[in-house]
Each structure stands twice: as C-alpha cells, then as structure tokens.
Amino acid sequence: DGGITQSPKYLFRKEGQNVTLSCEQNLNHDAMYWYRQDPGQGLRLIYYSQIVNDFQKGDIAEGYSVSREKKESFPLTVTSAQKNPTAFYLCASSRVDVETQYFGPGTRLLVL
Amino acid sequence: AQSVTQLGSHVSVSEGALVLLRCNYSSSVPPYLFWYVQYPNKGLQLLLKYTSAATLVKGINGFEAEFKKSETSFHLTKPSAHMSDAAEYFCAVSGSQGGSEKLVFGKGTKLTVNP
C-alpha cells in the first residue's frame, strides 16, 4: 500500500522537553510538508521541503525544526521554545510537478 | 499572495437536502483550487481540484464544485446530503502553474447532517 504514515498517533510532552514527530512516505514524492491544525484556524504551514537536504520555513516555523536526510522521511521536532505546542500535526507530500498534496493521518500532541 | 475565505464555520443540513459550502479566493495568478474533507481525528482527503481545464469539477462521493472567475468563487455542492458526509471541509488555493507550491487553506467549514 502506498501512502503516508505518521507516528505516534498521540504524543505527550513535558515542560522543557523536545519531542520528534515521524513522517514517512512511500509515494516517491519529492516534496513534503508539515502543518499545524488548531480548532477554527485551518491548517498553517510550519516547514516544507522540495528536495533531500533542503527545506524552507513556512508561516509558523518558530519553535520547530526539521531535517530531510532521506526522500522518504521528514521528521519534525517540537522544541522547548514552542510555548504552545498542543495541536494536531499533519504531514503531507506531493510530486514536484503537481500541486495536489496527500496527507498522513496526523499526530496529536498534548502537554503534560 | 493567495488567500481563501470560507463563509460559515458551521453548516447544518437535513439528510437528503442540498449541501452548499462556500469558498472565495484571492490570487494574483490563475489559481489551482482544491477541496479537502477531514473526518474527526483523521488526515485530509482530496475531494476534487480545479486546474484550469473544465470550470465544473466533479469529485468523489457525489461532490462537485464550480470555478467562477468573475466571482472569485469555488463553492462545493452535493445535491443530496448523506449522514456519512458529516465532516469538516477545507478549501485551498495554490498559485502555482506547475511545480510544488505552498497551499493556502481556509479555516474550514464543519458540516452537520441531521436525520
């Protein structure tokens, strides 16, 4: 089955802790994206990457970091600098030559 | 810069009634437009997309949307609502003519279907 997987489904963060959300795709897509979803706010872009070893900040990158060492993987780290991390995080991917993005099932991050 | 406005954060219809979810966009270039659906605690699923071919676009689950350039609109419709249509719907715009590009999403419309 081709698709995008995100893990874990639920993640709990303690004060001052960095946590990493996993996103893997087997669609052979070059571009990958991370979005944050808050109730009533729609989706806001955190980071995106169009090619391995390169990525760009989105609209709300502060307090987050990413890496893109492999085409299939685009992990997101929520650092302790992100003071309001509670949200639903969605990963997406697309081919470079088309705009349609395909989404993973999401990770819900909660603060203890 | 692109932007999307979805009119009505909540829409409620009766089963069998017409579904109309409104989306207006702003784009400095000819846009690509999308509708996605999200069921609770799930990712987004593509319903349909407009890429400058036909102005009336048919999607999955009986949904369709019409691109109206003069009104800068891309409203989503379904003739007869089903209980399984209850979900949140997002309109999105991309300004790209090809090549991956950021999507700008509206804030979503939550659809309730009453029996």
Side-chain angles (χ1 to χ4, degrees), chain A residues 33-110:
Chain A
Y33 312 80
W34 273 106
Y35 293 91
R36 171 179 171 141
Q37 185 178 23
D38 297 279
Q41 295 296 314
L43 277 71
R44 293 182 289 170
L45 183 65
I46 305 173
Y47 269 99
Y48 65 106
S49 168
Q50 296 182 320
I51 195 169
V52 174
N53 292 324
D54 189 38
F55 48 82
Q56 286 77 41
K57 292 182 178 180
D59 301 316
I60 56 164
E62 186 175 349
Y64 300 96
S65 66
V66 294
S67 63
R68 187 86 187 277
E69 297 177 2
K70 298 187 301 182
K71 186 177 184 177
E72 302 79 19
S73 179
F74 192 41
L76 173 73
T77 297
V78 184
T79 74
S80 57
Q82 172 51 246
K83 298 306 179 188
N84 184 23
T86 298
F88 192 51
Y89 290 86
L90 288 160
C91 179
S93 72
S94 70
R95 282 169 44 188
V96 173
D97 59 343
V98 292
E99 297 73 17
T100 304
Q101 294 183 15
Y102 296 90
F103 285 80
T107 293
R108 188 165 296 281
L109 177 59
L110 301 165

Side-chain angles (χ1 to χ4, degrees), chain B residues 19-35:
Chain B
V19 175
L20 171 61
L21 305 181
R22 299 177 188 273
C23 173
N24 288 88
Y25 70 91
S26 171
S27 177
S28 56
V29 297
Y32 284 19
L33 293 157
F34 304 80
W35 276 101

Side-chain angles (χ1 to χ4, degrees), chain B residues 23-25 31 33 50 55 66-75:
Chain B
C23 173
N24 288 88
Y25 70 91
L33 293 157
Y50 166 77
T55 56
E66 186 172 8
F67 172 70
K68 291 187 177 180
K69 185 178 178 180
S70 60
E71 299 178 6
T72 61
S73 69
F74 191 58
H75 301 331

Side-chain angles (χ1 to χ4, degrees), chain B residues 24-54:
Chain B
N24 288 88
Y25 70 91
S26 171
S27 177
S28 56
V29 297
Y32 284 19
L33 293 157
F34 304 80
W35 276 101
Y36 284 87
V37 60
Q38 184 181 35
Y39 298 98
N41 294 310
K42 302 290 185 184
L44 274 66
Q45 179 184 5
L46 180 69
L47 272 180
L48 51 81
K49 66 178 181 180
Y50 166 77
T51 56
S52 75

Side-chain angles (χ1 to χ4, degrees), chain B residues 2-109:
Chain B
Q2 293 82 35
S3 66
V4 171
T5 301
Q6 291 185 240
L7 299 175
S9 58
H10 290 82
V11 170
S12 182
V13 300
S14 299
E15 191 173 18
L18 171 72
V19 175
L20 171 61
L21 305 181
R22 299 177 188 273
C23 173
N24 288 88
Y25 70 91
S26 171
S27 177
S28 56
V29 297
Y32 284 19
L33 293 157
F34 304 80
W35 276 101
Y36 284 87
V37 60
Q38 184 181 35
Y39 298 98
N41 294 310
K42 302 290 185 184
L44 274 66
Q45 179 184 5
L46 180 69
L47 272 180
L48 51 81
K49 66 178 181 180
Y50 166 77
T51 56
S52 75
T55 56
L56 182 62
V57 182
K58 295 188 183 298
I60 62 171
N61 302 339
F63 284 93
E64 62 182 36
E66 186 172 8
F67 172 70
K68 291 187 177 180
K69 185 178 178 180
S70 60
E71 299 178 6
T72 61
S73 69
F74 191 58
H75 301 331
L76 182 70
T77 61
K78 182 174 181 178
S80 177
H82 193 272
M83 297 295 289
S84 61
D85 295 325
E88 190 157 20
Y89 293 80
F90 292 92
C91 183
V93 63
S94 164
S96 174
Q97 295 298 303
S100 70
E101 185 64 54
K102 295 188 292 181
L103 288 183
V104 175
F105 287 84
K107 294 188 175 183
T109 298

